[in-house]
Amino acid sequence: MQRHAIVLAAGKGTRMKSKQYKVLHDVAGKSMIEHVADNVKASGVDQLVTIVGHGAQSVKDTLGNASLYSYQEEQLGTAHAVKMASEHLRDSEGTTLVVCGDTPLITSATLKALIDHHEKSGAQATVLSATATNPFGYGRIVRDAEEHLVKIVEQKDATETEQQISEISSGIFAFDNRVLFEKLDLVKNNNVQSEYYLPDVLSLILDDDGVVEIYHTHDFEEIMGVNDRVMLSEAEKALRKRVNEQHMRNGVSIIDPATTYIGTEVQIGADTVIEPGVKLAGHTIIGEDARIGQYSEITNSKIGTNVTIKQSVINEAIVGDYAIIGPFAQLRPGADLGKKVKVGNFVEVKKSVVKEGAKLPHLSYIGDAEIGERTNVGCGSITVNYDGINKFKTVIGSDSFIGCNSNLVAPVTLGERSFIAAGSTITDNVPEDSLALGRARQITKEGYLKK
């Protein structure tokens, strides 16, 4: 059976008080719309249609080819929004999932369970419900004596008795696709808001003696919609807690989960220790038995096993097994460190290969370079890679020693077992097994200060 999904993302989100489109605000390092789209796809949906309005192009730029798009020019209610997808889905068979684009905590497991329940029951529609301690603002699930759905009533249309109901509609539904679009044409806007409500489709199905099911989730957080900055922070906290707990159950030690920020795409090996204040983002992969020191920030990087990182910033870099980084080191995009490499305090590495066993102990800049095995780069040494217009490469052979405060002016190649005297400025290639000096001769004027 074909499975489709419609993601509602046309609302401007005025309560966010932001120039940015609501569903593009980040939760745990990824926009709300991306969380929803990824989880919908992971639930087994074949085709996604996103309803866009305000900020349509920015949503398209974010999701790209992961979705088809339909435009809702006027926001006239959820039924009207879903109806916009008719250009793609009206003649399709199968199940159609409807999800709001501002529900970043919904999981693929719950969506799949909803779809499976819907299809097994043979219902024309199924609503995902939850129990809320404070149901204000949500549509209420009204059941009859046999616990069957009677209707879903919106907050502004609910009677005092109905407002006491704690079971609420998540705004997430599964429909028989053909029935959905047949009934959408019949929905009226006879309500306080003068809007076309999607839950009215369920009432129309029931009026025709159709079957409408309720699938209840026990995790209210999953269906929480984000309408303002306060709810955004609550969603962030809930998702971060979920992610951290998953890693801990998989064998990762997180010393202080409340101050640890781990993105949803991050992978961490068993017996790795994450210290307080760490931020791991993007498609970062960390091996086993590593230790990520407090206040380190790692983004889109690959960290090997048994690596120690102390209070450092790493972005789009590779760190080999048993390497030691920091404190206060910065690995920029293109840094590729081999096994047992040491990068010490206040060292910056950019677009450079540092091979196994090499050491950059402190206060150095290594850019556009290749550092050979077991080479030691002394304090304050830099690769002078930029002439104001172009970048050039420095190559240093294995088992070399670069003295403190050396300037290696690229393009330049130092052969294996090169020895550069401290304080030198090197502008010419150095053959292997050679000593190179490039500094002014010392002049001492005795008794100068007495004069």
Side-chain angles (χ1 to χ4, degrees):
M1 181 180 291
Q2 285 188 317
R3 292 177 172 180
H4 322 280
I6 300 171
V7 176
L8 306 182
K12 186 178 181 181
T14 54
R15 279 182 283 175
M16 295 294 285
K17 292 182 169 57
S18 174
K19 296 183 289 297
Q20 188 177 33
Y21 194 42
K22 180 173 81 166
V23 297
L24 296 181
H25 281 266
D26 280 357
V27 175
K30 192 163 69 173
S31 69
M32 289 193 279
I33 192 69
E34 288 177 285
H35 281 294
V36 172
D38 289 347
N39 287 320
V40 166
K41 285 283 185 125
S43 71
V45 166
D46 303 305
Q47 183 61 65
L48 182 68
V49 179
T50 303
I51 310 302
V52 294
H54 299 286
Q57 190 56 50
S58 57
V59 174
K60 291 179 180 179
D61 291 342
T62 299
L63 293 183
N65 296 329
S67 176
L68 299 174
Y69 302 93
S70 293
Y71 186 74
Q72 185 188 22
E73 187 169 352
E74 277 189 282
Q75 279 66 61
L76 301 178
T78 49
H80 180 259
V82 171
K83 194 173 181 180
M84 298 300 100
S86 62
E87 60 180 321
H88 300 296
L89 298 178
R90 178 174 287 275
D91 297 324
S92 298
E93 301 288 345
T95 299
T96 294
L97 188 67
V98 178
V99 187
C100 297
D102 60 359
T103 53
L105 300 179
I106 191 68
T107 65
S108 58
T110 295
L111 293 176
K112 185 178 186 303
L114 169 67
I115 295 171
D116 289 344
H117 179 87
H118 169 77
E119 292 177 351
K120 288 177 182 176
S121 67
Q124 283 78 58
T126 304
V127 56
L128 177 66
S129 76
T131 301
T133 53
N134 178 14
F136 183 83
Y138 289 93
R140 308 304 202 279
I141 300 288
V142 181
R143 296 177 183 254
D144 61 19
E146 296 178 344
E147 294 297 303
H148 296 137
L149 180 72
V150 174
K151 62 179 178 178
I152 299 173
V153 59
E154 298 298 322
Q155 172 75 36
K156 293 183 179 181
D157 299 304
T159 65
E160 287 188 18
T161 301
E162 290 168 340
Q163 288 183 19
Q164 302 307 309
I165 297 172
S166 60
E167 186 179 17
I168 56 95
S169 168
S170 64
I172 298 173
F173 304 87
F175 291 98
D176 176 288
N177 187 75
R178 284 198 174 275
V179 173
L180 170 63
F181 285 99
E182 286 171 7
K183 300 303 182 186
L184 282 171
D185 292 334
L186 304 176
V187 173
K188 307 295 183 185
N189 63 343
N190 302 323
N191 51 65
V192 173
Q193 294 286 89
S194 296
E195 291 186 351
Y196 297 91
Y197 292 152
L198 184 60
D200 287 353
V201 170
L202 278 60
S203 298
L204 291 168
I205 292 171
L206 292 172
D207 289 345
D208 286 345
D209 297 323
V211 178
V212 177
E213 284 283 310
I214 302 170
Y215 181 79
H216 188 83
T217 176
H218 296 285
D219 186 355
F220 173 75
E221 282 186 340
E222 273 200 51
I223 59 92
M224 184 175 71
V226 175
N227 292 318
D228 57 28
R229 307 282 183 148
V230 174
M231 299 178 80
L232 186 68
S233 69
E234 291 172 354
E236 173 81 30
K237 182 179 179 180
L239 187 53
R240 191 153 48 85
K241 182 174 182 286
R242 182 193 297 173
V243 169
N244 289 352
E245 287 181 355
Q246 183 179 12
H247 284 296
M248 288 188 284
R249 290 195 178 97
N250 288 336
V252 177
S253 292
I254 300 178
I255 294 174
D256 185 8
T259 63
T260 302
Y261 298 77
I262 302 177
T264 56
E265 311 295 329
V266 174
Q267 301 175 43
I268 308 175
D271 291 315
T272 284
V273 177
I274 310 295
E275 295 185 0
V278 167
K279 180 180 180 181
L280 308 175
H283 295 278
T284 291
I285 300 173
I286 299 174
E288 297 182 350
D289 300 296
R291 189 172 192 96
I292 312 301
Q294 57 185 346
Y295 307 118
S296 294
E297 182 177 328
I298 305 174
T299 306
N300 292 323
S301 296
K302 184 176 181 180
I303 312 298
T305 62
N306 287 282
V307 170
T308 300
I309 296 172
K310 307 171 186 176
Q311 293 160 291
S312 295
V313 177
I314 300 174
N315 182 27
E316 296 182 20
I318 298 172
V319 178
D321 300 344
Y322 297 95
I324 299 174
I325 310 298
F328 313 119
Q330 182 179 15
L331 305 183
R332 290 170 54 195
D336 186 349
L337 279 51
K339 293 181 179 179
K340 300 180 181 179
V341 163
K342 176 178 174 58
V343 175
N345 51 292
F346 303 106
V347 173
E348 180 179 350
V349 182
K350 176 236 110 173
K351 198 179 178 182
S352 296
V353 176
V354 183
K355 296 184 179 179
E356 182 174 348
K359 296 179 180 179
L360 318 173
H362 32 222
L363 296 162
S364 293
Y365 170 71
I366 304 298
D368 298 283
E370 181 180 312
I371 312 295
E373 293 90 343
R374 298 172 300 280
T375 284
N376 186 90
V377 178
C379 174
S381 296
I382 67 171
T383 58
V384 186
N385 59 332
Y386 185 48
D387 66 358
I389 300 174
N390 298 305
K391 299 285 181 70
F392 297 96
K393 187 174 182 179
T394 298
V395 178
I396 305 174
S398 60
D399 299 298
S400 295
F401 184 90
I402 311 302
C404 294
N405 292 316
S406 294
N407 301 310
L408 309 179
V409 183
V412 68
T413 299
L414 282 57
E416 295 185 359
R417 298 173 299 281
S418 294
F419 194 107
I420 306 301
S424 294
T425 295
I426 303 299
T427 57
D428 298 324
N429 293 342
V430 178
E432 63 183 37
D433 299 306
S434 299
L435 166 65
L437 302 89
R439 61 191 183 196
R441 185 184 297 274
Q442 178 175 326
I443 299 173
T444 303
K445 296 186 177 182
E446 293 186 21
Y448 178 82
L449 290 182
K450 293 180 180 180
K451 296 178 182 179

